[in-house]
Structures are given as C-alpha cells and as structure tokens.
Amino acid sequence: MNIGEIAQRAGVSRSTVSYALSGKRSVSEETRRKIQQVIDELGYRPNASARALANGRTSTIGLVFPPAGNHYTGMQLDFIGSVVEAAAVHDYDVLLSPSGVDSDRSFQRLLGERRVDGAILMEIRLEDDRVDHLAELDFPAVAIGRTAHPENGWWVSLDHTALAAACVHHLADLGHRRVAFVNRPEQLLRAGYESAHRGLDGFTKAAAERGLTVRTYCCGDDAASGQACLERILHDDPATTALVTLNEAALGGLYRGLAKAGRHVPRDFSVTGVVASRWAETVTPQLTAADVPAEEMGRRAVDLLVERIEHPAAPGRHHLLAPPISLRASTGPATGVPFPEA
C-alpha cells in the first residue's frame, strides 16, 4: 500500500495525500476526512523513513546511558523502562545508545546521522561533556540529573543533597550518634557522578549539623560488595548503629552482613537511604527510604524533551524532586549499647 493508491481511491493527487499526512500545507477538512477514511479502510501505515524525509522528524528519541560493565542496577533499568513507556504515550520510539570510553562512536552516530529527534541523558556527571556537546550543537536534549551548572538547562533530577540530609536527620531524631554512609562505587565518585557527590555532600553537612560521628564508604554495585562494605563498617567502628545508602544494588548484601554479624534490623541497627520503592520493599524488613520516583522522572524527562522538540526556541525548564521519606520497618531508636569489637 502506498500514497499513490490512497490518492487514486480518494480521488485526489499524490501531493494532497502527502500534505494531509505531513501537515506541511493546509488541506480542507472534507478532503482530509476522505483521505483518512481510505487510510482507515486500507490499514495504511506510512513508512518511517519516508515520513522522516517528508517532515524532518524520525518520531524516535535516543536514550543515552552508560555502559553496563557487569550489569545494570535495578534503578537504571527502572529509568530505561519508564522512558520507553512514556515515549510510547507520545507515539515516539526509543533508540538506546551507550555512551562511555569504548562506546562514544554510538553516541556520535546518533547525532551525526540524525537518527533521533532528541536525546535523554542518564547518569549525569558534574562536568559532563555530553551535555556540553549537545548544547553546542543546539540539539534537543534533556538530562536525568544535574551538572554543576544546571541553571539554564533542560533536566529532571532528584535533590540527592536534601534527601541524604533527610535520612541523617531521621536517624539523628531516633538517637543514633554513630552513622555510616554507603555510596556508589569509587570509580563513579572519581568520574564525578552528580548523585554520588551531592548525596555525600548532603550526608556530611547534615551529620556535622547534628554532631554525629560518621564514616563514609564507596561500595560496588552488587550484593557481595555490600556485605564486604558492612564488614568494614563494623570493623572500623563496632559502635556504629545506623547507615545511609545510595547504593540499592548493594542493599541485599548490607542486610546479609548485618545478619552475619548478629545485628538485628531495626532493634540493633537501622538502615535507610535513597532507593526506588520496589527495591526498598523487596528486603526484610522493608527499607525506610526516600523513594526514587523513577516512573515520574522518566515521564517528566520525555514530556520536557517533546516540548523542546516542538518548541526549539523555548527557554530551559527543569524539575528538582525531593520525595519525603517513606517510613517502613528498617529504622528504630538507637539502643545506646555499643557492641564489642569482634
């Protein structure tokens, strides 16, 4: 089925059908209805490549994410899924493109060959050359996260500084005085991942404000690393009674390490952090946490990108989210009885 047959059956020219499909020129409502009736009867779907040539749009957005290494975390997968679902609502497809030391060619092809109408960037760094490059090209893009200077950009982000601080204040209000912080892997901190840096900043400032004794740790994105990290925490300071984590992938290991050390949650040890709700609810006891609204963030990022594609001259817009802590079962009053060193 092609435009020529539609034109013949509708009794109009091929160009009229093309204009009706692309919207490049006005077509009378009566003619448009006639063409649409034929299209509906024939079940015609315009070829995506031909449509892109006709109107300069691919109806595809790119999702640029970091290479997985061994695996993607649950939170990363939640963001990818939420973007795909939200894009479908706007009738956009999603093209996934890794971006990193060994995969920048994919990112460059995405831009140079104009395969997409715009891009969403994940795992933002404080100094992020991807964001700078797209800004220089004036290419429609939205970031999930914030650079060090986000004032005029298009982005959706969690306020990791405020959320980590809220976790500290929650523990301090329960009487905890010795608290550990479990961050993302050290290589991500060195690379400038904004969530890791801003979360650490919020934790340390709030802990200083409340006069707490604290230690901070980087931890790999897996359960084995979480267990090893918990063992280091108790070795360094056996009197530690609580922790805050940004590392959901290590959460199961942190719990396993506590169980192995004979620490009952929350009677002997409280755990909280910034974690997607479905992951907070998979551990026992369920995690008291600032729930990451991945679905909402993906939807807002897609909405902003579609807005930017349709209105190229619009000034930058953004959303900074700070969800409240969901009280579950992993935090309780500090016992005040330090454990002896193992």
Side-chain angles (χ1 to χ4, degrees):
M1 186 53 54
N2 55 47
I3 286 179
E5 187 165 348
I6 294 171
Q8 184 178 5
R9 295 198 182 199
V12 298
S13 68
R14 291 171 60 95
S15 60
T16 299
V17 175
S18 178
Y19 296 148
L21 291 174
S22 69
K24 280 195 168 184
R25 294 190 185 179
S26 61
V27 175
S28 72
E29 189 59 35
E30 181 182 353
T31 300
R32 189 183 300 279
R33 279 200 303 268
K34 189 187 302 182
I35 293 170
Q36 189 61 52
Q37 182 178 351
V38 173
I39 288 173
D40 292 342
E41 290 173 355
L42 299 178
Y44 172 74
R45 293 292 181 271
N47 177 271
S49 298
R51 187 172 61 234
L53 287 172
N55 62 19
R57 297 280 181 85
T58 65
S59 294
T60 303
I61 60 176
L63 179 58
V64 182
F65 55 93
N70 294 329
H71 67 281
Y72 290 111
T73 69
M75 194 178 297
Q76 289 171 330
L77 293 174
D78 282 347
F79 279 123
I80 292 172
S82 69
V83 168
V84 171
E85 291 178 6
V89 173
H90 290 278
D91 204 23
Y92 273 86
D93 295 323
V94 177
L95 178 62
L96 302 181
S97 174
S99 174
V101 173
D102 299 320
S103 54
D104 279 338
R105 287 192 299 274
S106 172
F107 181 51
Q108 293 302 328
R109 284 197 302 271
L110 197 73
L111 305 180
E113 299 176 15
R114 205 71 179 191
R115 295 184 177 186
V116 296
D117 299 328
I120 292 174
L121 307 179
M122 288 177 56
E123 301 286 359
I124 298 300
R125 298 168 175 81
L126 291 173
E127 303 295 335
D128 200 309
D129 55 3
R130 300 171 304 167
V131 175
D132 297 337
H133 184 51
L134 291 174
E136 289 171 2
L137 295 175
D138 199 25
F139 188 86
V142 172
I144 297 180
R146 294 174 291 157
T147 64
H149 304 287
E151 295 80 11
N152 299 317
W154 293 75
W155 49 266
V156 180
S157 183
L158 280 182
D159 191 343
H160 285 91
T161 304
L163 295 181
C167 291
V168 170
H169 290 304
H170 171 64
L171 293 173
D173 289 344
L174 290 170
H176 294 278
R177 310 303 301 165
R178 308 180 81 85
V179 180
F181 181 66
V182 179
N183 207 337
R184 299 289 303 281
E186 184 178 354
Q187 62 267 31
L188 299 188
L189 197 66
R190 288 200 307 265
Y193 271 51
E194 69 99 9
S195 58
H197 278 271
R198 288 194 167 107
L200 177 60
D201 187 53
F203 174 85
T204 54
K205 287 182 178 177
E209 180 182 331
R210 299 300 293 265
L212 307 186
T213 298
V214 299
R215 293 176 184 268
T216 63
Y217 299 83
C218 288
C219 179
D221 285 334
D222 59 82
S225 296
Q227 182 172 347
C229 183
L230 194 283
E231 290 171 357
R232 290 199 307 274
I233 290 170
L234 295 183
H235 175 270
D236 293 345
D237 184 2
T240 302
T241 60
L243 68 81
V244 176
T245 184
L246 298 184
N247 194 326
E248 65 172 20
L251 190 58
L254 294 171
Y255 268 56
R256 193 163 64 209
L258 286 167
K260 185 178 178 181
R263 305 289 180 100
H264 180 274
V265 178
R267 185 187 63 216
D268 306 320
F269 202 101
S270 289
V271 184
T272 185
V274 183
V275 175
S277 60
R278 74 183 184 93
W279 300 100
E281 292 168 357
T282 61
V283 291
T284 303
Q286 292 187 355
L287 186 72
T288 291
D291 296 337
V292 177
E295 182 178 348
E296 178 186 0
M297 293 180 73
R299 175 180 55 78
R300 287 184 181 236
V302 171
D303 288 347
L304 283 181
L305 183 58
V306 171
E307 178 183 340
R308 188 169 188 192
I309 291 169
E310 294 179 351
H311 304 284
R317 295 213 303 116
H318 50 261
H319 302 287
L320 182 60
L321 307 179
I325 290 179
S326 295
L327 297 176
R328 296 189 179 93
S330 66
T331 55
T335 62
V337 180
F339 278 70
E341 187 170 355

